[in-house]
Amino acid sequence: MSSPTKGGNAPLTAYELIDSRPLTKNQKNLISLVVVGNLSEFFDMFLIGFVVALLTKPWALTGFEAGTILACSGLGTVLGAIGWGRIADSIGRRRAFFWCVVMFVGFTALTLLTPEGGWWMIAILRIGVGMGVGGLNITSIPYVQEFVPAKQRGLLAGLGSVFIPLGLFLGSVSQKIVGDNWRLLILLGCVPIFLLIWLRYVPESPRFHQVQGRDDEARKSLAWALELPVDQVGALPPVVEEEKASYGLVFRKHFKSLAVITIGSFCFIMGGFAVQSWGQTLLKDGFGFSVSTVAYLFMGVSFADLIGRLSSAYLSDKIGRRATMFTFGALGAAGCFLAAMSTGSGTMFFISIVIIMMFGDGAFGILNAFGGEQFPNNARSTGLGLGYGIGATAKIIGPFLMGAMIGGNAVKQDVTLDVIPGAFTFFGVCFLIGATAYLFAKETRGKALESI
């Protein structure tokens, strides 16, 4: 059979075929795998918050001990993003995905062996869990980007991050079902091991194969994606001989992109930290909402976050990545500034929280996908992982910064309404800096990955 052609009867190239055809079942299968994988990993990540809550009284955990467990998860995420990004450019997206799942499930399973009172063991193991979680998110985004049409790449790659807020919701539901059996709750975190079966039916990225000089394998991957015989896959774009991916390469040749991703990620993560750390406490202790009311309100917050992430991923293909990131960052900042003026009204403060999460945190629907597009095929995961990983240090710096701002410490703060104006003004400024940083990124809407 002959290959499909374009105007003038010239045959379509392989990636022109990808761009010209509707998504196939196989492409949707890969996207679904990444969505479920990221949802599962963050379900596992969120579980530790519920576990710590269950163990605080029985184990008489001090604030330092509980905080150390949670901080170790953040540390692992940073290490995982930086390390696995580099590894994925060396061994492939598919193999990196495989070992990230093995890592976060394996360390979760080892947690079941923790002796009573062994908080230190949980803390150490959470570093391993965090490394797997941080790595999977970074490696899965390029995996999708390198299989889908350029005109839909923002939305389709962003879907991996869109449904992450459901991980917190599922963790809450699981805790309600399991009750106070923390080991059974941890056991639920091992369920994602079944992702490895699903992964068997998905091939390696064609772009990775090409970078490695395996054009025949690249054509097989594309044939799988297109659901066409291999002989109908068009010509592959030529690959210019490039230096192997390394951190040094990223610093030397892509420093501007690295700086944008690092600053942008740090500021957006720090900005969202306001609600994630203080939102529920301020509504309950500051404004006097009941525990059950706060729980229901935050179900709405999670839904707003999900809608925001989906919207940013969708809009990135319509109005551009830079415009989307700047708009969402600016609106997140506006939510923070509104919160800073809402000390007299719990209702207004809650509306502010919804705005912050829908737009400030909602920007994560495209943030990492846009970050990955700033780097060429041979260094995509390395650059994204390094930039986002350094930026994610905000998860570690945040608690200490909060303590310095309001006179508490890194684990426990004396949160009152008096801290709202200064703190939320600061976090609003973070969003503005992050939004501005992305204006210096390369606009990649609709561009072929080979042209970046």
Side-chain angles (χ1 to χ4, degrees):
M1 296 182 65
S2 61
S3 299
T5 62
K6 51 188 173 182
N9 294 322
L12 293 175
T13 66
Y15 292 112
E16 286 174 340
L17 276 175
I18 289 283
D19 290 339
S20 68
R21 299 164 63 93
L23 289 179
T24 65
K25 289 182 179 179
N26 283 343
Q27 286 171 306
K28 293 175 182 177
N29 184 39
L30 170 63
I31 295 165
S32 299
L33 169 64
V34 168
V35 169
V36 174
N38 279 283
L39 174 59
S40 298
E41 64 167 352
F42 278 90
F43 163 69
D44 183 281
M45 196 70 171
F46 288 136
L47 280 181
I48 194 60
F50 296 103
V51 170
V52 169
L54 291 174
L55 294 177
T56 298
K57 287 186 177 180
W59 287 12
L61 293 178
T62 65
F64 172 78
E65 292 166 351
T68 298
I69 294 173
L70 298 175
C72 283
S73 296
L75 173 61
T77 301
V78 171
L79 297 175
I82 295 174
W84 280 106
R86 171 69 185 85
I87 294 170
D89 279 330
S90 297
I91 68 172
R93 298 12 174 164
R94 183 175 180 274
R95 289 176 64 190
F97 190 107
F98 176 94
W99 287 111
C100 284
V101 172
V102 170
M103 174 171 275
F104 81 75
V105 172
F107 279 99
T108 297
L110 288 173
T111 307
L112 295 170
L113 304 178
T114 303
E116 290 298 310
W119 67 270
W120 53 270
M121 182 173 175
I122 293 181
I124 293 172
L125 292 173
R126 291 315 293 184
I127 295 176
V129 173
M131 289 178 67
V133 169
L136 186 63
N137 184 249
I138 293 302
T139 59
S140 63
I141 288 173
Y143 201 7
V144 172
Q145 287 176 324
E146 294 167 1
F147 266 110
V148 298
K151 63 183 178 182
Q152 298 173 282
R153 195 172 60 233
L155 173 61
L156 298 177
L159 286 176
S161 301
V162 164
F163 295 98
I164 284 175
L166 288 181
L168 180 58
F169 176 78
L170 291 176
S172 180
V173 171
S174 299
Q175 198 274 326
K176 290 288 186 183
I177 295 173
V178 171
D180 59 0
N181 188 332
W182 71 271
R183 293 184 192 272
L184 184 55
L185 195 59
I186 287 290
L187 185 62
L188 291 176
C190 298
V191 171
I193 194 67
F194 291 105
L195 288 169
L196 301 183
I197 299 174
W198 193 344
L199 188 62
R200 287 175 57 89
Y201 298 95
V202 178
E204 179 56 81
S205 157
R207 260 89 176 195
F208 175 76
H209 278 314
Q210 267 206 280
V211 168
Q212 301 299 310
R214 300 193 292 262
D215 284 6
D216 288 346
E217 294 301 316
R219 292 176 64 82
K220 289 178 183 178
S221 291
L222 287 165
W224 173 88
L226 291 163
E227 297 181 6
L228 291 173
V230 175
D231 61 4
Q232 290 189 39
V233 175
L236 299 175
V239 175
V240 178
E241 189 69 29
E242 296 188 63
E243 184 179 344
K244 293 289 185 180
S246 67
Y247 301 125
L249 172 66
V250 172
F251 275 103
R252 289 195 313 275
K253 294 188 176 181
H254 310 290
F255 182 77
K256 179 183 175 182
S257 295
L258 177 65
V260 168
I261 303 309
T262 299
I263 295 170
S265 298
F266 183 91
C267 290
F268 271 86
I269 292 171
M270 187 67 78
F273 200 81
V275 172
Q276 296 167 12
S277 301
W278 293 355
Q280 292 157 304
T281 301
L282 284 168
L283 285 173
K284 180 173 67 72
D285 297 336
F287 291 102
F289 288 90
S290 68
V291 174
S292 60
T293 299
V294 171
Y296 283 115
L297 289 175
F298 262 75
M299 287 183 184
V301 170
S302 297
F303 181 71
D305 190 2
L306 190 153
I307 294 299
R309 288 176 179 237
L310 183 60
S311 299
S312 68
Y314 172 79
L315 287 172
S316 71
D317 287 324
K318 301 300 180 181
I319 66 174
R321 309 327 192 216
R322 290 190 298 193
T324 299
M325 288 302 301
F326 182 79
T327 301
F328 273 62
L331 290 173
C336 287
F337 296 145
L338 180 62
M341 299 183 290
S342 301
T343 54
S345 171
T347 300
M348 185 61 69
F349 183 73
F350 173 68
I351 292 172
S352 303
I353 284 178
V354 172
I355 295 172
I356 293 168
M357 294 303 286
M358 178 174 284
F359 296 104
D361 201 67
F364 280 86
I366 188 60
L367 185 145
N368 274 336
F370 187 24
E373 291 174 342
Q374 297 303 298
F375 303 95
N377 291 334
N378 68 313
R380 180 160 298 119
S381 291
T382 301
L384 173 59
L386 185 59
Y388 179 77
I390 297 173
T393 56
K395 297 179 181 180
I396 302 171
I397 296 171
F400 293 94
L401 183 59
M402 287 197 310
M405 289 172 59
I406 63 178
N409 56 58
V411 177
K412 181 180 180 182
Q413 292 83 35
D414 302 318
V415 179
T416 68
L417 296 184
D418 293 337
V419 308
I420 290 179
F424 278 82
T425 297
F426 169 78
F427 289 120
V429 170
C430 285
F431 275 130
L432 284 180
I433 294 173
T436 303
Y438 281 104
L439 291 178
F440 293 90
K442 294 177 288 188
E443 180 55 67
T444 53
R445 177 172 68 108
K447 292 185 178 180
L449 291 177
E450 283 68 33
S451 69
I452 296 173

